[in-house]
Amino acid sequence: MGKMVGIDLGTTNSCVAYMENGEAVVIPNAEGGRTTPSVVAFLKDGERVVGAAAKRQAVTNSQRTFFSVKRDMGTDNRVKVDGKSYTPQELSAIILQKLKADAEAYLGEPVTDAVITVPAYFSDSQRQATKDAGRIAGINVLRIINEPTAAALAYGMDKGAAQKIMVYDLGGGTFDVSVLDVQNDMIEVLATAGNNRLGGDDFDNCIASYLVDAFRRQENIDLTREAAAMNRIREAAEKAKIELSSATSTVISLPFLASDKNGAKHLEMTLTRAKFDELTAHLVEATTGPVKQALSDAGLTPAQLSRVLLVGGSTRIPAVQQAVKRLTGKDPSRDINPDECVAMGACLQGGVLAGQVTGLLLLDVTPLSLGIETMGDVFSRIIDRNTSIPVQRSQVFTTAANFQTSVDVHVLQGEREIASCNKTLGRFRLTGIRRAMRGVPQIEVTFSIDANGIVNVSARDLDTGKHQEITLTHSSNMSDAEIDRAVKDAQRYAAEDAKRKKTAELLNQAEQLYNDSRAVQKQLSRQDKDRIEGLRKDLKRAMDSKDDDAIRRQMAELSRALESAGRYVNNRAADDSDGAMDADYSDGN
């Protein structure tokens, strides 16, 4: 049986953890980092790289490097590379494969199961897309849980006294705020609110825009037309944001950023924290609405909160921390790494599902209202937002026209009263209704949401018993056929990646042998030198061809020749040594 892990699939960084002796432990990646940049790149030779390696080469390969994929989950947005189209799920699956491979290398056994977190405000389509990404990556997704809830588990809220807590989660691309009721071993989410298009990336963009505008005024050059320059600008903006979390100013220096007829142009300026706060004040202010909404939906005032927990790397920004204190009247808790706590909480929830953690009940909520479209473009709610899940609710509707024998059920998610302003989750038709005047047939529509937040909808004619239902598994914008094809592609690329790794290791060994053999040549006779040199050239040609079999064959031949020559050198050295002793002995007598 394989290992179970908890995964925080983040917008800018991802993290994975596992259970060890009843505790959640973060797994470092192959590069030694505790988090992995959520970046995917396709190199010119077709190789795919993920994480820090992908981020490092972004400047020179900007058109084939993809950031912030999470923001597009559940949409039809696709990117094309080398004639192949990739969905957000497929790009996310590549990141998940990297996390899975690193975890397996660290643990020394296969990783088969995972609990994956999503922002609390993710819609059904975004949750399903995340689950599909796991499936494509070869992971059995045990549960999808909300990030703020996972963070509360990591903070140990299940072990404390009864209390009301707020989790303020500002990550790289999304913002959530959740209010939870903790009662001994039960954590119940009372309300959640947020913005799926607000996060650290937006803070970076504010700095980047400021730098671009300053450079345009100074040099009369528009950097937005230069992809490589913009990547350097964004990289510098992110670095400046991080530095301003602990310093009051930072120097941004970008030499040779552009050029014109007068030569190279450089960018160098000092950015103060005060200026950064001014540039991003509207983003900090945008988090206040969801905070107030979550408190209102939970029926609480800020004074009734016991603690406020900060989650997500962007909560390190001093202005954000000050805003949280101003809104709640409390100093936020920062006694756990905000980049790691979500993965640790996901792992703990996996421990509950696997029976490794006992005595803990987690009650989450659905973030958005669910219902159907009725006559006049009206959105009729069946399940209100912030309802605890799993849940099942039913409501009876009727026909809108005389002698209607079928009805179309248009399933929606959102908060607008106008149906067309909300998000479509799916449609299906109930047929076989008995002919009757409008208003007579009784059609019961039932919504059920499972523990992952995935929706199932059914409709039943109470007179004839005719029944139709839909499980909204395709709301992620990928069909079963597309997912199956993506799974096979992922498996094929995993095999290719493994082959590339073996070739890289073999090339490294061959290069080492090639270099070492040069030192041995100096001690050989002219004839042996020529022979070794010939074999070295044969090995170099095999290395250039990247033919694994040819490399192994030439390595074996060169190694045998070196071993034979080495014996000759050692024997000659021994003979010389014996001669020296004989001479010394005769002189001594």
Side-chain angles (χ1 to χ4, degrees):
M1 182 179 177
K3 273 279 187 182
M4 180 280 304
V5 296
I7 297 175
D8 172 14
L9 181 60
T11 307
T12 53
N13 290 290
S14 296
C15 186
V16 59
Y18 79 111
M19 294 297 296
E20 182 178 50
N21 300 323
E23 298 290 332
V25 178
V26 172
I27 297 174
N29 58 30
E31 298 75 38
R34 292 173 68 84
T35 60
T36 299
S38 301
V39 184
V40 177
F42 297 83
L43 304 186
K44 297 294 192 292
D45 63 358
E47 184 181 357
R48 305 186 309 190
V49 292
V50 181
K55 194 173 181 180
R56 280 195 301 270
Q57 57 80 68
V59 171
T60 57
N61 189 30
S62 58
Q63 299 301 314
R64 299 162 65 89
T65 305
F66 303 98
F67 298 80
S68 303
V69 177
K70 184 175 178 177
R71 282 191 162 185
D72 290 329
M73 291 294 271
T75 71
D76 285 322
N77 295 344
R78 296 178 182 233
V79 297
K80 276 196 171 182
V81 181
D82 298 330
K84 177 175 170 52
S85 176
Y86 291 89
T87 65
Q89 295 95 302
E90 289 174 292
L91 293 176
S92 294
I94 295 172
I95 298 169
L96 288 171
Q97 280 183 303
K98 156 77 169 167
L99 299 176
K100 181 177 184 287
D102 286 351
E104 289 175 337
Y106 180 83
L107 298 170
E109 56 184 298
V111 169
T112 54
D113 303 321
V115 171
I116 302 179
T117 62
V118 295
Y121 221 55
F122 253 25
S123 66
D124 176 78
S125 60
Q126 291 168 309
R127 290 168 189 271
Q128 185 62 53
T130 304
K131 198 170 184 182
D132 289 345
R135 177 177 162 190
I136 293 168
I139 298 171
N140 175 36
V141 182
L142 298 174
R143 183 71 52 85
I144 297 288
I145 68 168
N146 291 340
E147 289 166 3
T149 312
L153 288 175
Y155 270 93
M157 292 295 98
D158 57 306
K159 300 179 179 68
Q163 55 188 308
K164 304 287 193 299
I165 65 170
M166 173 184 284
V167 180
Y168 181 102
D169 183 356
L170 183 61
T174 59
F175 170 64
D176 289 313
V177 56
S178 295
V179 179
L180 299 87
D181 182 18
V182 179
Q183 299 284 342
N184 296 321
D185 290 334
M186 184 180 78
I187 297 179
E188 180 180 4
V189 181
L190 300 178
T192 190
N195 184 341
N196 288 339
R197 309 293 295 184
L198 174 63
D201 287 354
D202 301 292
F203 287 79
D204 297 346
N205 290 338
C206 286
I207 299 177
S209 296
Y210 176 69
L211 298 178
V212 168
D213 289 342
F215 195 78
R216 185 187 292 116
R217 288 193 302 271
Q218 178 183 320
E219 305 291 351
N220 197 30
I221 296 176
D222 184 4
L223 293 174
T224 58
R225 299 174 183 174
E226 300 293 333
M230 285 306 299
N231 267 297
R232 291 182 66 192
I233 287 281
R234 293 190 191 97
E235 194 175 78
E238 182 186 14
K239 183 181 177 184
K241 175 191 69 177
I242 293 169
E243 289 179 356
L244 289 172
S245 293
S246 55
T248 55
S249 67
T250 182
V251 175
I252 299 171
S253 180
L254 293 170
F256 303 98
L257 188 59
S259 63
D260 62 12
K261 61 183 180 181
N262 297 317
K265 302 296 180 182
H266 318 295
L267 172 64
E268 184 158 344
M269 67 165 59
T270 298
L271 180 65
T272 64
R273 184 188 291 174
K275 185 62 180 179
F276 172 64
D277 290 346
E278 177 190 332
L279 294 171
T280 58
H282 64 290
L283 299 176
V284 177
E285 179 61 27
T287 70
T288 62
V291 169
K292 293 174 180 177
Q293 179 187 317
L295 283 170
S296 175
D297 289 348
L300 298 175
T301 64
Q304 291 174 286
L305 293 174
S306 302
R307 290 181 70 185
V308 178
L309 312 181
L310 295 184
V311 179
S314 299
T315 58
R316 291 189 174 94
I317 298 171
V320 169
Q321 296 174 4
Q322 292 162 14
V324 173
K325 184 174 181 179
R326 186 173 62 250
L327 284 166
T328 64
K330 290 178 173 57
D331 285 315
S333 298
R334 298 190 295 271
D335 51 356
I336 193 169
N337 190 325
D339 295 320
E340 300 175 0
C341 60
V342 171
M344 293 169 67
C347 182
L348 287 167
Q349 175 62 15
V352 172
L353 298 175
Q356 296 171 282
V357 178
T358 57
L360 175 61
L361 178 62
L362 182 62
L363 299 176
D364 224 325
V365 297
T366 181
L368 297 165
S369 299
L370 292 154
I372 64 171
E373 177 186 356
T374 53
M375 192 170 66
D377 197 23
V378 172
F379 177 50
S380 296
R381 287 177 176 79
I382 295 179
I383 297 179
D384 289 323
R385 73 171 188 265
N386 293 320
T387 298
S388 293
I389 58 174
V391 64
Q392 179 172 304
R393 296 275 170 81
S394 299
Q395 198 169 318
V396 175
F397 297 87
T398 189
T399 52
N402 292 332
F403 310 120
Q404 194 173 333
T405 59
S406 66
V407 291
D408 290 319
V409 181
H410 182 193
V411 183
L412 299 158
Q413 186 173 38
E415 303 306 324
R416 299 286 296 275
E417 300 301 324
I418 305 302
S420 56
C421 294
N422 293 314
K423 180 175 177 58
T424 297
L425 295 185
R427 299 173 185 265
F428 65 97
R429 173 169 290 190
L430 175 64
T431 60
I433 300 171
R434 197 183 304 281
R435 290 168 57 84
M437 299 297 288
R438 69 174 186 170
V440 173
Q442 299 286 290
I443 299 162
E444 182 183 59
V445 177
T446 300
F447 274 68
S448 64
I449 309 176
D450 66 16
N452 292 309
I454 307 299
V455 181
N456 182 286
V457 185
S458 65
R460 183 167 63 98
D461 181 357
L462 297 180
D463 179 31
T464 65
K466 289 285 186 179
H467 176 269
Q468 183 61 266
E469 67 179 323
I470 180 173
T471 300
L472 299 169
T473 56
H474 301 318
S475 56
S476 68
N477 301 305
M478 286 186 76
S479 66
D480 276 342
E482 288 179 306
I483 292 171
D484 288 341
R485 186 175 66 249
V487 169
K488 289 174 183 173
D489 283 347
Q491 291 170 344
R492 177 169 58 85
Y493 276 114
E496 287 182 9
D497 289 346
K499 185 177 184 299
R500 278 197 182 97
K501 184 179 179 181
K502 279 187 176 181
T503 298
E505 290 172 350
L506 186 62
L507 282 169
N508 187 55
Q509 293 169 8
E511 187 173 356
Q512 186 69 44
L513 179 62
Y514 181 82
N515 292 332
D516 290 347
S517 61
R518 183 185 289 115
V520 176
Q521 277 182 293
K522 297 175 183 177
Q523 306 174 52
L524 302 178
S525 65
R526 185 70 181 173
Q527 182 179 352
D528 285 338
K529 276 183 182 178
D530 292 342
R531 179 165 168 255
I532 294 296
E533 184 59 29
L535 290 171
R536 289 181 76 245
K537 287 179 179 178
D538 290 342
L539 176 58
K540 188 66 171 63
R541 279 192 289 272
M543 290 164 62
D544 291 340
S545 72
K546 293 186 179 179
D547 182 334
D548 289 8
D549 290 338
I551 293 171
R552 289 192 189 93
R553 187 167 57 252
Q554 294 306 136
M555 283 179 68
E557 287 192 27
L558 179 56
S559 294
R560 281 195 295 269
L562 288 171
E563 185 179 351
S564 175
R567 280 200 300 268
Y568 165 74
V569 170
N570 289 336
N571 289 337
R572 188 177 68 179
D575 291 343
D576 290 345
S577 176
D578 289 344
M581 286 190 291
D582 289 344
D584 289 343
Y585 178 76
S586 62
D587 290 345
N589 281 288

